[in-house]
Amino acid sequence: MTEKIEQKPGFHNKHFIIDGKMDMTTCNLITNPVFEQYGYSLTNSNTQYLKDVVVYAKDYFDPLDGPTSELYMTENTIGIHLKSHSWSDPKTCLKSRIRIALGDAFIAKLKKLFS
């Protein structure tokens, strides 16, 4: 995987600070095209086996539904990606943490109450 990614144009000498600002390119934008060369499908929600790599289904590491903040754990779940946006600006990060703590349904009620 590392070899394939390093072969991508511009990646070998990649810098994470560009013009004084952090490069916020997510790892998915870097890795998905490489995975697709081996048959990865973004629309396939099952565990996918690609040559020497396993891409696990969402319920293994990401059972927290983004829009609703509902937790859908299964017997496969081994971790929970909390989507805290720690790489984002402080305001976005704080909003994300509040949304996770309170849930989107409660946030929607608050917005309705104050609008």
Side-chain angles (χ1 to χ4, degrees):
M1 182 68 177
T2 303
E3 275 179 25
K4 289 287 184 188
I5 290 173
E6 286 179 349
Q7 290 172 8
K8 290 182 71 161
F11 189 81
H12 185 69
N13 294 316
K14 183 156 180 52
H15 297 279
F16 295 96
I17 304 291
I18 300 170
D19 296 328
K21 296 180 184 169
M22 286 179 46
D23 178 2
M24 302 301 259
T25 304
T26 64
C27 61
N28 292 352
L29 291 176
I30 296 167
T31 58
N32 283 357
V34 175
F35 284 157
E36 287 169 347
Q37 292 175 3
Y38 294 98
Y40 173 67
S41 170
L42 197 57
T43 58
N44 180 352
S45 60
N46 300 315
T47 296
Q48 298 179 52
Y49 300 89
L50 321 168
K51 197 170 178 174
D52 298 326
V53 174
V54 178
V55 180
Y56 288 94
K58 179 177 173 46
D59 63 328
Y60 279 85
F61 302 104
D62 193 14
L64 185 65
D65 183 61
T68 66
S69 297
E70 296 277 340
L71 189 59
Y72 296 102
M73 291 181 62
T74 69
E75 67 278 352
N76 296 332
T77 304
I78 13 185
I80 302 172
H81 179 357
L82 295 176
K83 299 173 180 72
S84 64
H85 287 271
S86 58
W87 63 91
S88 298
D89 63 271
K91 182 179 178 182
T92 302
C93 184
L94 178 62
K95 285 170 72 175
S96 178
R97 289 176 186 204
I98 291 170
R99 183 187 56 77
I100 289 167
L102 300 178
D104 282 344
F106 185 75
I107 298 292
K109 287 178 186 177
L110 282 177
K111 285 181 178 179
K112 196 173 188 178
L113 182 67
F114 290 104
S115 61

